[in-house]
Amino acid sequence: KKDKRKNVIFRILKQIGHYRYFVFLSVILTGVTVGLSLYLPILTGRAIDYIIGPGEVDVDGLFQILKKMGLVIAATAILQWIMNVCNNHITFHVVRDIRNQAMDRIQVLPFSYIDSHAAGDVVSRVIADADQFADGLLMGFTQLFSGVMTIVCTFVFMLSINVYVTILVATLTPISLFVARFIATRSHSMFVLQSKTRGEQTALVEEMIQGQQVVKAYGYEEKAQERFDEINGRLQEASLKATFFSSLTNPGTRFVNNLVYAGVAGLGAFLAIRFRTVTVGQLTALLSYANQYTKPFNEISSVITELQNALACAGRLFELIEEEPEVPAPADAVKLEGFDGTVDMDHVDFSYVKTTPLIEDLNLHVRAGERVAIVGPTGAGKSTLINLLMRFYDADTGEIRVSGVPVKDLVRQNLRSGFGMVLQETWLQAGTIHDNIAFGRQDATREEVVAAAKAAHAHSFIKRLPKGYDTVIGEDGGALSEGQKQLLCIARVMLDLPPMLILDEATSSIDTRTELRIQKAFTEMMKDRTSFVVAHRLSTIRESD
């Protein structure tokens, strides 16, 4: 666990290193503002010493001190504002970079990772954990730096006033450090558990919202609530433990701080009355420094609590970023300019779980322009065959060739550009109808999009929408019916017809009347193109070779 934490801290420092100039400026400004704020008690002490007694006030000296105090306060305020701007710049740019890295890694993660991890947990890492990390990092910059600087500078200022009082403060300080460290080491594991459980809860909520119709149709509401309550209970327990341990820090350090203040007051008063080595103004400054010296320990203890949470969240983010990506294409990977439509499979074996065989010794040789029907009972491996063709998964043994080239020697993006795909499960993005049809060809004109929609028999229902092709639909199609969403997915393929087609139950959500028209469109679309058709309906595969 210690090695893991060190690795997380190293990764964070590496990310912050990209903004080293802002960090340097922030440290300089922190030092200056702390110095100015600590210079103020000295000026206050001098002002008090100018007030000797009734009728014995040095008005000119007092006025000069007050003027100097005003300048110090104004300069401190301006420099603190600039420092906060720097800290915000560092924090939110670092979090932006980490989020970008997480999103980049999601794009290249193998499908085995996506299939085996809850989408809600991945979303929680990129969104919620990143926000928690940002809060902890910002607090670290704004309070940790200034707190450490305050402690060091206050110690120096106190030393310049009186050595004995400073020695007393230095003697009591380690107690506060010990309390903070003792609690921090025990709260980190609690925050890790809290973050993990929060991700589990997000996954369940997303799952229940996406399947709301099925949940209500099967009366699953109570069971869903029970599952949520169970996870919520665990989250409550983890959060309470994390909060309890972390909340001990503040009262613990405050107790030590009060000891320091009482010690400074007692010893300072004794030195002022008995030996007159300390003036009343200097005693006032020392008491002010005692407060300022101990206050950062409270802040740092709070910061440490937040940093524990931030480290836990950053650890989950870096776990995602460090996940093994898809097997990269070899340096000499082939990029075909065109596909001749031939597909060959030689002695292919594949299974998702190595101990459970699925596809064994599959041999398939498809000539250009042939139409291949893939049929079989549920779980026989029909969609798995499609996954292998598109190289969403790699075969365990054997070889798959497209246009005579092994797929492992092809650039993935190039291989997938040779296939057009319509799946049983529709997917649409939030945006206009035009944008969804032109998803694979962003430069398509309106005329081309309309032509594709007409070919897919989607034009008629699109015209009836409030703004036609400019109608904005929500995530995954919004209020459109399953059949309408399927038609848009078919139009998306119609817009940019590649040399090979994959239709995975493409007409499963469409009524029989519309299916007849789409079959004609498919017949035209599949002409002279190699096609793989996964289907249960005989009507879909009757024309197959």
Side-chain angles (χ1 to χ4, degrees), residues 168-240:
L168 174 67
V169 172
T171 305
L172 295 173
T173 298
I175 303 174
S176 187
L177 293 173
F178 172 77
V179 170
R181 178 176 173 79
F182 176 80
I183 297 169
T185 52
R186 280 152 182 78
S187 61
H188 177 73
S189 59
M190 302 299 173
F191 280 115
V192 172
L193 181 61
Q194 180 190 34
S195 186
K196 183 180 178 181
T197 312
R198 191 191 301 120
E200 192 178 339
Q201 186 184 56
T202 306
L204 176 66
V205 171
E206 184 182 22
E207 182 183 314
M208 290 301 106
I209 290 174
Q210 286 184 346
Q212 192 62 224
Q213 287 180 324
V214 178
V215 169
K216 289 185 179 298
Y218 283 87
Y220 191 77
E221 294 94 334
E222 288 187 16
K223 185 65 178 177
Q225 187 64 47
E226 287 174 11
R227 287 178 61 192
F228 181 83
D229 289 343
E230 188 272 328
I231 296 173
N232 208 29
R234 286 193 283 116
L235 179 60
Q236 176 200 23
E237 186 179 351
S239 301
L240 277 174

Side-chain angles (χ1 to χ4, degrees), residues 446-498:
R446 176 56 61 87
E447 291 73 22
E448 289 173 321
V449 168
V450 171
K454 286 180 177 178
H457 298 277
H459 181 68
S460 58
F461 90 79
I462 294 173
K463 283 197 306 180
R464 293 195 298 271
L465 295 174
K467 295 183 180 179
Y469 286 85
D470 294 318
T471 301
V472 176
I473 57 177
E475 183 184 349
D476 202 23
L480 296 180
S481 71
E482 287 299 320
Q484 288 172 332
K485 289 190 280 186
Q486 189 69 282
L487 290 174
L488 291 181
C489 292
I490 293 169
R492 191 159 57 197
V493 176
M494 292 281 197
L495 180 64
D496 186 20
L497 283 173

Side-chain angles (χ1 to χ4, degrees), residues 126-147:
V126 179
I127 305 299
D129 287 341
D131 281 339
Q132 290 286 327
F133 172 61
D135 291 341
L137 192 60
L138 184 59
M139 188 173 280
F141 275 111
T142 54
Q143 294 186 19
L144 187 61
F145 279 0
S146 61

Side-chain angles (χ1 to χ4, degrees), residues 259-329:
L259 283 180
V260 173
Y261 190 84
V264 170
L267 182 60
F270 177 76
L271 293 174
I273 295 168
R274 183 70 182 269
F275 297 104
R276 299 190 180 279
T277 53
V278 177
T279 66
V280 175
Q282 287 176 330
L283 178 58
T284 304
L286 284 171
L287 288 172
S288 178
Y289 284 142
N291 260 335
Q292 287 183 285
Y293 181 79
T294 54
K295 186 181 176 184
F297 285 103
N298 294 332
E299 291 178 351
I300 289 172
S301 64
S302 299
V303 168
I304 289 172
T305 300
E306 283 296 324
L307 285 177
Q308 297 300 321
N309 193 9
L311 284 175
C313 293
R316 278 167 51 81
L317 270 167
F318 290 134
E319 275 179 13
L320 176 63
I321 293 170
E322 290 170 355
E323 281 293 334
E324 284 294 323
E326 288 181 317
V327 178

Side-chain angles (χ1 to χ4, degrees), residues 73-147:
I73 291 169
T76 303
I78 293 168
L79 292 175
Q80 277 183 338
W81 178 77
I82 298 171
M83 178 187 71
N84 288 334
V85 170
C86 287
N87 292 340
N88 282 316
H89 179 89
I90 296 164
T91 298
F92 295 112
H93 275 72
V94 167
V95 174
R96 179 205 63 185
D97 293 346
I98 292 176
R99 271 201 175 118
N100 284 341
Q101 289 171 23
M103 194 63 191
D104 288 343
R105 183 48 56 103
I106 289 171
Q107 302 299 328
V108 297
L109 283 175
F111 272 74
S112 55
Y113 180 90
I114 303 298
D115 289 341
S116 60
H117 289 75
D121 182 60
V122 177
V123 171
S124 179
R125 293 181 192 227
V126 179
I127 305 299
D129 287 341
D131 281 339
Q132 290 286 327
F133 172 61
D135 291 341
L137 192 60
L138 184 59
M139 188 173 280
F141 275 111
T142 54
Q143 294 186 19
L144 187 61
F145 279 0
S146 61

